[in-house]
Every structure is written in structure tokens, then in C-alpha cells.
């Protein structure tokens, strides 16, 4: 398919944004807090880190010397983008958890150069990110249409617009690792259903490695990751009228060798009780008690291929960086191949 000409681009609105968040999202935060903070081992899902401050902090994390995943994934993309463009001939790129789409440009460049790129569909819970990246990308790629979906990829995949031709669904940054094994397979199965016969999933996953390297990546010397971790408490204060003092909590990052995942936790420095007014909920913390805020699973090639197979996906390419730190996989729906 030919890229849009400038006159076509002027006639067609290049940006369309749909938001599926709002009251329902507030409900989901409230449900997650009610469920997670009343368990014997307290826990919150990581998607609530990402208000606009959380998204900015994550961007700073990506630049940190200890945080190798972003650099490694970018290296793989740079090495392989032309091959991916050739193999997929994609006219559109759907990106789940798109953030600032910083690395995505490498892929967009390759598809643009190949002359196939027409549409980019970023899907993210952070509204400001989706809007900013739609503005920037339509400026950077003449003729590109952006159909932004402000939503939760666990609940709103049915709002992703129908494909207009062969597409890549990209799920970068190792975000799939934030799900424990059971829900990871469910999410992967749901994502697989976005794929038609000519479509591919391009997914970034972090690999198992020296625990010291892993732990340093989630506990940097400048304390940016600690601030990102505590940001979830600020989100609860603002959205649910809670009265957490983020300084009451210390950042903890540890590699769980049995499950092969990093856990980020917030450890209460003192015994105290917090009130979450919107939920009429008192939450008691013992001194030293920990609240789990994120898991980030690290993969072996075997485990990843097993997860893909369980989701009905078959591997087309396994791509890694020269140091073998991170992997990008290109896969397709097995039954459609
Ligand atoms: C680890 S960051 C990765 C960002 C970017 N893809 C990258 O590779 O640098 C996770 C991104 O996913 C978004 N996100 C997390 N959970 C989400 C969910 N359930 N639905 C939609 N977006 C989500 C966050 O807002 C954030 O932009």
C-alpha cells in the first residue's frame, strides 16, 4: 500500500484519540486498593505508578546507567528493524503500553523507509503520553495517521481499531514481565486475538542474568527508581484521598531466585495506620511490613517459547543484543500460519 500523499493527509484528520478511562478507571484503582491492601501480604498492581509524574520518572529510569533494558532493547531494534519491516510489510503498528514511544521511532523509521507505514495506534493508560506522542509523531512522519487509545490493555483490547492491512502489535519494555505466570498467559492469549493471518506480535522481554546486575537496575544510586516506587502512594493520596506519607516507606528491590523475577516493595519504616477516605478504609502497617508494588519476570528462551505456545503463538524470530541481556521475539498466531 502506498503511503498517504500530503494532500490526502491534509484532507484526512491525522490524529484521532479515544479515551476509555474515567469513572471505570477510578473504580479499578479503588477495587485494586481494596483488594490489595486488605490481604495478609499487601500488594498493588504496577499500572497505578503511571500518572504523568510516574511516566516522567519512568523516562528518567530509562536513562540511568544501571537500567540496561532500554539500551539493550534499542540496540536490538536498531540491528533488526529493517528485517522486521521486510518480514512483516506492516502498514500499521499497534503499541501496547506505548509510553513516550521513544524506541518505537526506530521501528517507525524502518517501516516508513520501506514505504508501508500508514497508521500508528498507541494504547496506554497515561493520557498525556498518548496525546503528546500523537502530536509529535504526526509531525515527524508526514502522512502518518495516529489513532490513540487511552485505555487499559487488560480491559480495552476490544477498542483497538480493526486492522487496515498487515500489522505489528508491539509490546516493548519488558512490560509483559509485570504479570505473574497465570495472568501473563491470559494477557498473551488476549493479545494474540488482535492478530490476523498477516500480523505479528513483537514483544520485548528481559532475560535471566546475574542477580547483582538485576537488583542494581531496580535500585539505582540516584534513587530515581525509589521515587518512582513511592509515587504510587502519591497517586492513592490524590485519587482516593488517602494520607500516606511516602517518606514512611523505604524502597526495596530484590531478585526472587525461585520465581526468577524482580520484586519491588515498599517497606514501612514504622508502625502506623493510614486512612483511605474514599474507601472508608484503615490500613495498618507494622514496622518493617512490606507492600509489593511490582514484579518484573526475567525469562529464559525455553520459558518464553512455552508462554508464547500456550497463547497459541509460534516464534518467527528470536532477536537478542550482543551481550544477551534482553530479547525481542517476533511471533504469529500458530493456527493462522
Ligand atoms: C515499563 S513502561 C514501558 C514503556 C515503553 N513501552 C518502553 O518500552 O519504554 C510501561 C508502560 O505501559 C503503560 N501501562 C502499564 N500498565 C498498563 C495497562 N494495564 N494498560 C495500558 N497501559 C499500561 C504505562 O503507562 C507505561 O507507559
Amino acid at each position: 500500500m502506498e503511503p498517504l500523499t500530503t494532500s490526502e493527509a491534509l484532507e484526512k484528520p491525522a490524529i484521532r484519540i479515544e479515551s476509555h478511562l474515567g469513572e471505570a478507571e477510578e473504580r479499578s484503582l479503588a477495587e485494586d486498593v481494596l483488594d490489595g491492601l486488605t490481604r495478609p501480604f499487601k500488594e498493588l498492581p504496577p499500572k497505578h505508578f503511571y500518572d504523568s509524574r510516574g511516566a516522567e520518572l519512568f523516562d528518567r529510569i530509562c536513562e540511568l546507567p544501571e537500567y540496561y533494558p532500554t539500551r539493550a532493547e534499542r540496540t536490538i531494534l536498531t540491528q533488526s528493524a529493517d528485517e522486521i519491516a521486510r518480514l512483516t510489510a506492516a502498514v500499521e503498528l499497534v503499541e501496547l503500553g506505548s509510553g513516550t514511544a521513544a524506541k518505537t521511532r526506530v521501528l517507525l523509521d524502518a517501516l516508513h523507509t520501506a514505504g508501508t507505514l500508514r497508521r500508528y495506534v498507541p494504547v496506554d493508560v497515561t493520557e498525556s503520553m498518548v496525546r503528546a506522542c500523537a502530536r509529535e509523531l504526526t509531525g515527524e512522519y508526514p502522512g502518518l495517521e495516529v489513532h490513540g487509545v487511552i485505555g487499559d490493555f487488560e480491559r480495552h483490547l476490544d477498542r483497538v481499531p480493526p486492522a487496515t492491512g498487515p500489522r505489528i502489535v508491539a509490546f516493548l519494555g519488558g512490560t509483559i514481565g509485570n504479570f505473574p505466570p497465570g495472568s501473563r498467559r491470559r494477557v498473551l492469549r488476549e493479545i494474540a486475538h488482535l492478530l490476523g493471518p498477516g500480523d505479528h506480535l513483537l514483544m520485548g522481554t528481559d532475560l535471566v542474568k546475574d542477580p547483582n546486575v538485576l537488583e542494581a537496575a531496580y535500585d539505582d544510586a540516584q534513587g530515581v527508581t525509589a521515587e518512582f516506587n513511592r509515587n504510587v502512594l502519591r497517586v492513592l493520596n490524590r485519587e482516593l484521598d488517602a494520607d500516606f506519607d511516602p517518606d514512611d516507606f523505604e524502597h526495596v528491590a530484590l531478585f526472587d531466585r525461585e520465581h526468577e523475577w524482580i520484586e519491588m516493595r515498599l517497606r514501612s519504616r514504622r508502625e502506623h495506620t493510614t486512612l483511605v477516605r474514599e474507601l472508608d478504609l484503615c490500613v495498618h502497617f507494622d514496622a518493617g511490613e512490606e507492600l509489593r508494588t511490582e514484579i518484573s519476570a526475567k525469562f529464559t528462551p525455553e520459558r518464553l517459547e512455552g508462554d508464547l505456545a500456550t497463547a497459541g503463538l509460534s516464534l518467527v524470530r528470536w532477536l537478542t543484543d550482543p551481550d544477551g541481556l534482553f530479547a525481542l521475539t517476533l511471533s504469529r498466531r500458530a493456527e493462522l500460519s
Side-chain angles (χ1 to χ4, degrees):
M1 235 178 268
E2 291 298 308
L4 289 180
T5 62
T6 314
S7 59
E8 280 171 324
L10 287 176
E11 283 159 23
K12 286 187 107 185
I15 298 181
R16 175 169 174 186
I17 304 231
E18 286 165 5
S19 177
H20 304 291
L21 301 182
E23 247 180 64
E25 187 52 23
E26 280 157 32
R27 243 189 354 261
S28 134
L29 174 65
E31 280 159 15
D32 289 345
V33 169
L34 203 54
D35 178 43
L37 295 192
T38 55
R39 292 184 191 177
F41 183 21
K42 298 181 175 64
E43 179 165 28
L44 287 173
K47 70 178 165 201
H48 302 304
F49 284 131
Y50 295 94
D51 62 349
S52 52
R53 180 169 183 270
E56 273 163 35
L57 285 164
F58 180 73
D59 254 17
R60 284 178 57 199
I61 290 174
C62 291
E63 303 291 322
L64 292 168
E66 297 92 338
Y67 197 75
Y68 63 84
T70 306
R71 281 187 298 281
E73 193 176 35
R74 184 189 292 277
T75 301
I76 308 171
L77 279 169
T78 307
Q79 284 167 354
S80 313
D82 289 341
E83 186 190 2
I84 295 169
R86 187 174 45 74
L87 280 169
T88 62
V91 303
E92 64 178 47
L93 177 61
V94 175
E95 184 170 14
L96 308 176
S98 45
T100 54
K103 282 166 292 176
T104 315
R105 262 96 166 166
V106 180
L107 207 52
L108 291 172
D109 282 347
L111 293 170
H112 192 249
T113 306
T116 56
L117 179 67
R118 296 190 62 142
R119 185 165 73 159
Y120 175 59
V121 182
V123 180
D124 204 290
V125 275
T126 311
E127 175 164 356
S128 55
M129 291 281 173
V130 175
R131 291 194 185 281
C133 120
R135 264 194 316 274
E136 289 167 15
L137 291 174
T138 46
E140 289 168 34
Y141 299 91
L144 180 71
E145 285 175 53
V146 176
H147 185 145
V149 179
I150 300 163
D152 182 337
F153 55 61
E154 285 190 77
R155 295 185 297 131
H156 300 127
L157 285 186
D158 58 341
R159 314 295 167 89
V160 170
T164 56
R167 73 175 166 194
I168 299 175
V169 175
F171 197 19
L172 303 179
T175 306
I176 187 66
N178 293 150
F179 295 95
S183 30
R184 184 193 309 149
R185 292 189 191 127
R186 172 182 53 78
V187 169
L188 271 179
R189 251 197 312 274
E190 287 164 8
I191 294 174
H193 281 105
L194 288 176
L195 304 178
D199 301 342
H200 291 81
L201 171 65
L202 182 68
M203 188 165 73
T205 43
D206 199 6
L207 301 177
V208 172
K209 59 183 65 63
D210 178 352
N212 294 317
V213 175
L214 285 168
E215 285 177 0
Y218 290 82
D219 193 6
D220 63 280
Q222 293 173 48
V224 183
T225 317
E227 214 27 57
F228 173 75
N229 195 4
R230 284 191 278 260
N231 191 57
V232 74
L233 303 177
R234 296 182 196 278
V235 171
L236 267 48
N237 285 351
R238 188 186 59 240
E239 301 295 327
L240 298 176
D241 201 6
D243 62 1
F244 283 101
D245 178 350
D247 290 334
D248 276 337
F249 291 85
E250 155 185 22
H251 169 69
V252 177
L254 53 90
F255 183 58
D256 177 331
R257 286 171 169 73
E258 187 194 337
H259 295 105
E260 295 186 315
W261 65 46
I262 281 279
E263 289 205 7
M264 290 212 307
R265 300 178 179 179
L266 289 167
R267 182 183 293 146
S268 175
R269 296 184 204 270
R270 61 181 182 96
E271 182 182 356
H272 70 284
T273 297
T274 293
L275 181 60
V276 186
R277 286 185 199 80
E278 287 253 325
L279 303 179
D280 258 337
L281 179 71
C282 284
V283 188
H284 180 82
F285 288 89
D286 288 328
E289 186 176 344
E290 291 175 340
L291 154 66
R292 184 162 77 174
T293 50
E294 177 175 299
I295 67 160
S296 180
K298 308 301 163 191
F299 291 81
T300 56
E302 298 71 33
R303 179 133 44 83
L304 185 51
E305 226 177 311
D307 283 350
L308 291 172
T310 312
L313 293 162
S314 66
L315 194 62
V316 176
R317 283 285 186 287
W318 166 272
L319 306 160
T320 186
D321 54 294
D323 299 319
L325 297 171
F326 200 89
L328 265 189
T329 49
L330 192 66
S331 53
R332 310 184 56 168
R333 283 269 291 279
E335 63 193 14
L336 303 177
S337 305

